[in-house]
Amino acid sequence: VCRRNSDFAMAEKNVFSTCHKFGGTSVASATCYKKVAEIIQQDKNEKGGRLGVVVSAMSKVTDHLIKCLNLARDNQDYASCLEECIARHRSTARELLGDKVAESFIPVVEKDTKDVLDILRAVQLTKLYSERILELVSGFGEVWSAQLLAAYLRLIGLSSTWLDARNVLVVEDGESGPIIKWTESAARIKEFLKHNVVDYLVITGYVACTAEGIPCTLKRNGSDFSGSIFGSLLNSASIIIWTDVDGVFSADPRKVPEAVMLDEMSYNEAAELAYFGAKVLHPHTMAPAIYKNIPIYIRNTFNSTCKGTKIFDPKLSEGSHTVDDFTVKGFSTMDGVALVNVEGTGMIGVPGIAQRVFGAVREVGISVIMIAQSSSEHSICFAVLEDSGAKAKQILEKAFFREMQFGLIQTVDLITDCSILTVVGDAMARVPGVAAKFFGALGRARVNVVAIAQGSSERNITTVIQRKDSARALRAAHSRLLLPDCVLAVGVIGTGVVGGEFLDQLQEQLPVLRQGRTLEVKVVGIADWQQMILSERDILSNGPWRASFNEKPLPIDLTAFAEHVTSIGNVIGHSVIVDCTANQKVADSYADWLSRRISIITPNKKAFSSSIDSYRELSRLRRKFHVHVLNECTVGAALPVIGTLRDLVLNGDKVHRIEGVLSGTLSYIFNVFSPGAPSSGPLPKFSDIVREAKAKGYTEPDARDDLSGTDVARKVCILARECGLTVELSDLNVLSLVPDEFRDASKVTADQFLAGLDKYDAEMAKQLTEARDQGEVLRYVGVVDVQNRKASVELRRYPLSHPLATLADADNMIAFTTARYCTRPLVIRGPGAGAAVTAGGVFADLLKLAICYGAILP
């Protein structure tokens, strides 16, 4: 495409500081043309020099003109179709130029329209059109667009003219596309510039001519190609391709929400990505720029403050400028691919087999996209466009008919419905383990690799996969190689006091967690007992989560919620559900979640204190599927109770006894009722203290839920099971502080219970008096007697010297007596309740999980 002729007749070096190229969406309306003028004026003010401005046709105009040809061929109403296109140009001209100036532009368009109508009439009569006719008609959009912009630039007082590329750009047909006749083209443009000294040279993109002067085009993607060609012919210092995206992304953002814009990439990286389907630039587009080492910038017309992506050769750039730190630069997929596999024992060690295979497909004009061959030479496979697959199979069966008859070649197979996934990066050659991460990500996403190819440059790894796996594979590979080491797809169930506080804490802390680039937490689902929201992207990045949660919620469906979380987690990293409820139905879903390879974080005690068989099943599933269950907050909120107990057991210590106050509510009630300091004053009323705790928000809405001891019993059951005891909740001896007559909530309301509790004050006062007389306090405790394999919840008396006697406010305290801590127990003390504390404990479990999955936190 770009021949290195020694006699290039180029203009003076850097006479043109920049060659801009604006695509169809950038000149789609009068407003867009004004924006283009604003952009190039600003560029000239900053850089000086003259500017080349290559423009495409207005958006959709080229397709519209081709549609007119097809209508004419099919004897349909092409005139109305063409008039619609011309009317758009008239109205745009009047809006952009004003009626007076537009009157000089419109006749030019109408003259061309007559020529086009004559051609369309001929097409209607012959019912066909040639390639030359197609190129002539489809190129008028650029001709009109260039004249329109040049007229507007003159209108606002800028020195401008337009150049019809059909008069200077000479091409000839080649196998891989148009070949530029550089010497002749350079001579023609040099002559043009002698007589047209302007600051803004507006040039038609896409169109050219043959050596005989016949109008033609640079084919599809030819408009960007024009930008690179004229950047080279004008010896521009840079080429800027203006489009409707901010730059080149690491992957297609429509398929990969996590895709990031790349600041820089090399020519080679861009060419590799473009070849395999990424919407970067066609490799042909870059050839002239590569030859002259002109950097290409991809920028957004509608976000011109964004610097875009620079494509260049870092080895040849001046100074110490280097391509940024990403080992892998980008990913792309090409769908609609078929794989042809030629296999047979007769191929081993036989010279010329590959030549015959690829010679045969070349003879019928089939382009081979990718090649892979086993080291044993037993098989050769290659990828082609799916439309060519059957033809390739047929021609190879014919070419190797004799070998197949004698069994030297066993099969010529065709595998359809395939896609190609490629990962590209110049730095991959210097970094071990990239392929391992790539294929590991595909394996985790359950994507089967059909074929693999990698060149010795190690710049890309290419795989053939099934088409149905294409989007999932792309996102999985991108996540593993470009996102932080640990990516968690998180679903949160429960938006009450604990769940809401957890989400608030996480949303506030996310920017800090992301600083080290080793952890990315994406909340992809939020649910309560009525509704849920599901998202492919991080909900917490879209502003206050409560607004998102109430915007367009779906009815709650725990199965669909889990499916959504795991569908994203399996692709981008790991799946996690945080259950901030106390709901048994949610707890019953844990087994299903673990089977889906979803890790669980929860303060919900129900799953761990239900039947021992259920508890053991969760442990079995956790080990089987290599996932984690973090339930630290089920016993002491954020206090490290379970973690400490597990450490003691795992490091070989023998736990003899666990004893402690495990309820913040009951801690407060008995710390006030029976303080740890000697007292000789009047006895407090137990009922008054309970009502005071209710008023301060320490109790559940129904205080019987706390005083029954059931919550403490669940915590004791969990601790006992962590010690290896086989206990059921029903096995525990639990002292309830709710009198028998008040236990049936269907007959006695919570308010009635509080009002009638006074009659039992005397009984509680008697116990308090007995304790005081002995210099002791009353504490409501949970006890796990590991040596005697018993567990209980009871009201016990302790001397004032005991650690439990020193408790204040609503603190919890847990004492571990072990073989190593036998003289003095290991004591953990601190707040054991409260939304902020419990949510902080849940958050801490999330960070522990992240570390398990490879995150290195600050």
Side-chain angles (χ1 to χ4, degrees):
V1 176
C2 181
R3 291 178 176 171
R4 298 193 174 208
N5 294 336
S6 59
D7 57 344
F8 269 6
M10 296 296 174
E12 292 296 323
K13 182 171 178 61
N14 290 341
V15 170
F16 285 78
S17 60
T18 307
C19 183
H20 295 266
K21 156 61 182 54
F22 291 92
T25 55
S26 299
V27 290
S29 65
T31 302
C32 292
Y33 279 106
K34 292 177 181 178
K35 178 65 176 176
V36 167
E38 178 186 321
I39 288 171
I40 59 178
Q41 278 185 281
Q42 182 178 351
D43 185 56
K44 180 170 174 56
N45 293 337
E46 291 175 356
K47 300 176 183 176
R50 300 160 70 184
L51 300 183
V53 184
V54 178
V55 292
S56 295
M58 293 175 68
S59 179
K60 306 299 182 184
V61 165
T62 301
D63 290 339
H64 208 107
L65 291 171
I66 295 172
K67 179 181 177 182
C68 291
L69 280 169
N70 291 332
L71 289 172
R73 180 196 60 197
D74 299 336
N75 199 27
Q76 297 183 35
D77 184 9
Y78 59 83
S80 297
C81 180
L82 181 60
E83 176 56 30
E84 182 182 337
C85 180
I86 302 307
R88 181 182 172 193
H89 283 81
R90 288 195 201 100
S91 63
T92 301
R94 291 192 175 101
E95 182 181 350
L96 181 65
L97 306 175
D99 290 340
K100 183 176 180 180
V101 178
E103 288 308 314
S104 62
F105 169 77
I106 292 173
V108 174
V109 177
E110 291 179 340
K111 178 180 179 299
D112 291 338
T113 304
K114 291 179 181 178
D115 293 338
V116 174
L117 282 170
D118 289 341
I119 295 170
L120 294 176
R121 175 59 178 161
V123 170
Q124 183 184 40
L125 292 172
T126 59
K127 300 188 184 306
L128 56 86
Y129 58 85
S130 66
E131 183 72 16
R132 290 298 187 205
I133 293 296
L134 172 64
E135 293 188 303
L136 173 62
V137 172
S138 64
F140 274 105
E142 277 71 17
V143 174
W144 299 332
S145 181
Q147 293 179 78
L148 194 56
L149 177 60
Y152 177 69
L153 295 177
R154 290 193 297 271
L155 178 66
I156 60 176
L158 302 180
S159 170
S160 174
T161 191
W162 78 286
L163 168 62
D164 188 341
R166 296 176 298 184
N167 296 328
V168 297
L169 183 56
V170 183
V171 302
E172 65 181 15
D173 290 334
E175 282 190 10
S176 58
I179 296 175
I180 312 302
K181 306 285 286 186
W182 288 103
T183 302
E184 188 173 347
S185 298
R188 290 190 182 194
I189 197 169
K190 186 175 183 180
E191 184 65 24
F192 179 88
L193 292 174
K194 282 182 182 179
H195 305 287
N196 294 274
V197 181
V198 293
D199 291 334
Y200 299 90
L201 178 61
V202 183
I203 308 168
T204 57
Y206 183 53
V207 296
C209 70
T210 66
E212 296 77 23
I214 301 171
C216 62
T217 69
L218 300 176
K219 316 302 181 188
R220 283 294 182 183
N221 301 300
S223 195
D224 287 346
F225 192 14
S226 295
S228 184
I229 292 169
F230 282 102
S232 178
L233 288 172
L234 298 173
N235 258 321
S236 299
S238 63
I239 298 167
I240 304 179
I241 307 293
W242 293 92
T243 179
D244 55 1
V245 295
D246 285 342
V248 180
F249 282 77
S250 53
D252 187 341
R254 295 169 299 179
K255 298 177 180 178
V256 181
E258 301 82 16
V260 295
M261 194 193 80
L262 301 171
D263 294 330
E264 300 172 341
M265 66 192 315
S266 70
Y267 292 128
N268 289 330
E269 290 169 332
E272 294 274 8
L273 285 172
Y275 179 77
F276 286 107
K279 292 186 177 180
V280 184
L281 290 173
H282 194 279
H284 290 176
T285 298
M286 291 182 286
I290 292 171
Y291 173 72
K292 300 291 289 291
N293 191 31
I294 303 172
I296 301 174
Y297 295 83
I298 310 297
R299 298 183 63 182
N300 189 346
T301 309
F302 309 103
N303 184 21
S304 56
T305 58
C306 179
K307 296 301 182 183
T309 301
K310 179 181 180 181
I311 303 173
F312 70 121
D313 186 344
K315 298 189 295 294
L316 299 179
S317 294
E318 296 178 0
S320 59
H321 201 44
T322 58
V323 175
D324 55 42
D325 295 334
F326 287 124
T327 300
V328 172
K329 276 304 179 66
F331 305 78
S332 65
T333 55
M334 178 187 292
D335 296 329
V337 171
L339 194 68
V340 182
N341 183 53
V342 182
E343 186 172 319
T345 55
M347 297 170 57
I348 299 174
V350 179
I353 292 292
Q355 179 185 11
R356 290 177 62 192
V357 168
F358 298 115
V361 296
R362 182 188 182 280
E363 288 299 320
V364 292
I366 296 175
S367 176
V368 174
I369 304 170
M370 187 202 87
I371 303 169
Q373 182 176 17
S374 65
S375 59
S376 67
E377 301 182 50
H378 181 256
S379 66
I380 297 175
C381 68
F382 58 92
V384 297
L385 293 177
E386 197 162 51
D387 292 345
S388 304
K391 187 175 182 181
K393 182 177 186 295
Q394 182 181 12
I395 199 68
L396 288 173
E397 287 175 337
K398 182 178 179 180
F400 290 97
F401 177 80
R402 184 172 178 275
E403 287 83 352
M404 294 181 73
Q405 288 291 309
F406 288 100
L408 299 176
I409 290 182
Q410 276 73 51
T411 60
V412 177
D413 291 326
L414 178 66
I415 305 172
T416 57
D417 292 320
C418 293
S419 294
I420 288 179
L421 168 64
T422 188
V423 52
V424 171
D426 284 340
M428 286 165 55
R430 303 189 296 271
V431 180
V434 174
K437 288 184 177 181
F438 177 56
F439 291 111
L442 298 184
R444 180 174 178 79
R446 300 179 181 277
V447 174
N448 183 51
V449 175
V450 182
I452 304 168
Q454 181 178 19
S456 60
S457 69
E458 299 185 56
R459 185 176 294 118
N460 83 51
I461 302 172
T462 302
T463 62
V464 178
I465 57 177
Q466 292 180 314
R467 187 186 305 180
K468 65 181 178 62
D469 296 331
S470 175
R472 187 167 75 256
L474 176 63
R475 193 173 181 186
H478 182 276
S479 175
R480 185 67 184 91
L481 290 166
L482 276 189
L483 293 187
D485 295 335
C486 174
V487 183
L488 302 179
V490 179
V492 179
I493 301 178
T495 59
V497 289
V498 175
E501 176 66 23
F502 166 69
L503 286 166
D504 289 340
Q505 292 180 10
L506 180 58
Q507 189 161 40
E508 181 180 352
Q509 193 67 8
L510 271 180
V512 176
L513 297 178
R514 288 169 175 162
Q515 286 177 359
R517 281 193 56 79
T518 67
L519 173 61
E520 179 69 46
V521 178
K522 293 181 178 294
V523 176
V524 296
I526 301 176
D528 62 17
W529 64 279
Q530 285 184 315
Q531 65 186 47
M532 64 181 183
I533 56 169
L534 307 175
S535 174
E536 291 286 324
R537 301 173 184 270
D538 177 33
I539 296 170
L540 301 188
S541 298
N542 296 331
W545 65 267
R546 288 178 178 84
S548 299
F549 186 60
N550 293 312
E551 189 174 347
K552 290 182 180 179
L554 302 169
I556 181 63
D557 182 334
L558 290 176
T559 300
F561 189 87
E563 287 176 350
H564 175 73
V565 172
T566 195
S567 69
I568 296 177
N570 284 349
V571 171
I572 68 171
H574 307 279
S575 308
V576 188
I577 290 182
V578 179
D579 171 21
C580 291
T581 73
N583 189 290
Q584 183 65 55
K585 182 179 179 182
V586 177
D588 291 341
S589 300
Y590 287 7
D592 175 60
W593 297 349
L594 295 175
S595 299
R596 296 176 186 271
R597 291 181 168 82
I598 301 174
S599 291
I600 300 169
I601 297 171
T602 182
N604 187 345
K605 294 176 277 292
K606 299 291 177 65
F608 310 99
S609 58
S610 56
S611 73
I612 190 67
D613 290 339
S614 174
Y615 177 83
R616 287 172 172 168
E617 177 65 5
L618 294 183
S619 297
R620 186 188 70 81
L621 292 172
R622 175 181 59 80
R623 292 189 298 269
K624 177 180 178 181
F625 294 105
H626 305 286
V627 288
H628 300 270
V629 177
L630 287 82
N631 62 320
E632 182 69 79
C633 296
T634 56
V635 173
L639 297 178
V641 178
I642 292 179
T644 300
L645 176 55
R646 287 175 179 168
D647 288 343
L648 290 171
V649 173
L650 289 173
N651 68 28
D653 201 351
K654 303 298 181 184
V655 180
H656 296 159
R657 183 181 181 86
I658 303 173
E659 187 172 10
V661 173
L662 299 172
S663 166
T665 302
L666 292 167
S667 177
Y668 172 82
I669 290 172
F670 281 97
N671 290 339
V672 175
F673 183 62
S674 179
S679 177
S680 58
L683 295 177
K685 293 180 63 176
F686 184 76
S687 60
D688 287 345
I689 297 172
V690 173
R691 284 189 282 267
E692 178 186 335
K694 173 73 163 58
K696 289 186 174 182
Y698 285 132
T699 73
E700 295 292 334
D702 188 340
R704 287 173 293 189
D705 292 341
D706 298 294
L707 296 175
S708 69
T710 302
D711 184 66
V712 176
R714 290 187 181 277
K715 296 177 180 180
V716 170
C717 182
I718 293 170
L719 291 174
R721 289 174 175 178
E722 289 287 341
C723 292
L725 300 187
T726 302
V727 296
E728 297 283 4
L729 188 61
S730 58
D731 295 335
L732 272 64
N733 183 18
V734 180
L735 172 66
S736 174
L737 298 178
V738 180
D740 291 343
E741 65 176 293
F742 296 129
R743 291 183 182 178
D744 191 343
S746 64
K747 296 179 180 179
V748 182
T749 66
D751 290 339
Q752 288 172 335
F753 159 66
L754 288 177
L757 193 57
D758 297 33
K759 67 174 71 173
Y760 293 94
D761 282 341
E763 181 179 333
M764 294 301 297
K766 178 182 176 183
Q767 294 191 56
L768 177 58
T769 300
E770 292 174 355
R772 278 188 177 186
D773 290 345
Q774 298 297 319
E776 297 175 334
V777 296
L778 293 175
R779 293 293 180 261
Y780 192 82
V781 296
V783 179
V784 180
D785 186 346
V786 180
Q787 290 180 314
N788 295 310
R789 308 191 70 80
K790 294 190 302 184
S792 62
V793 177
E794 52 193 276
L795 185 62
R796 295 175 61 90
R797 289 157 49 175
Y798 293 91
L800 295 178
S801 60
H802 195 282
L804 288 172
T806 65
L807 279 173
D809 199 46
D811 280 1
N812 283 6
M813 180 181 286
I814 300 93
F816 296 93
T817 302
T818 72
R820 296 171 187 165
Y821 294 92
C822 53
T823 305
R824 295 172 59 200
L826 173 63
V827 175
I828 297 173
R829 175 177 176 170
V837 170
T838 305
V842 172
F843 198 166
D845 273 352
L846 182 67
L847 297 180
K848 291 174 190 173
L849 180 66
I851 292 171
C852 290
Y853 284 135
I856 301 174
L857 300 181

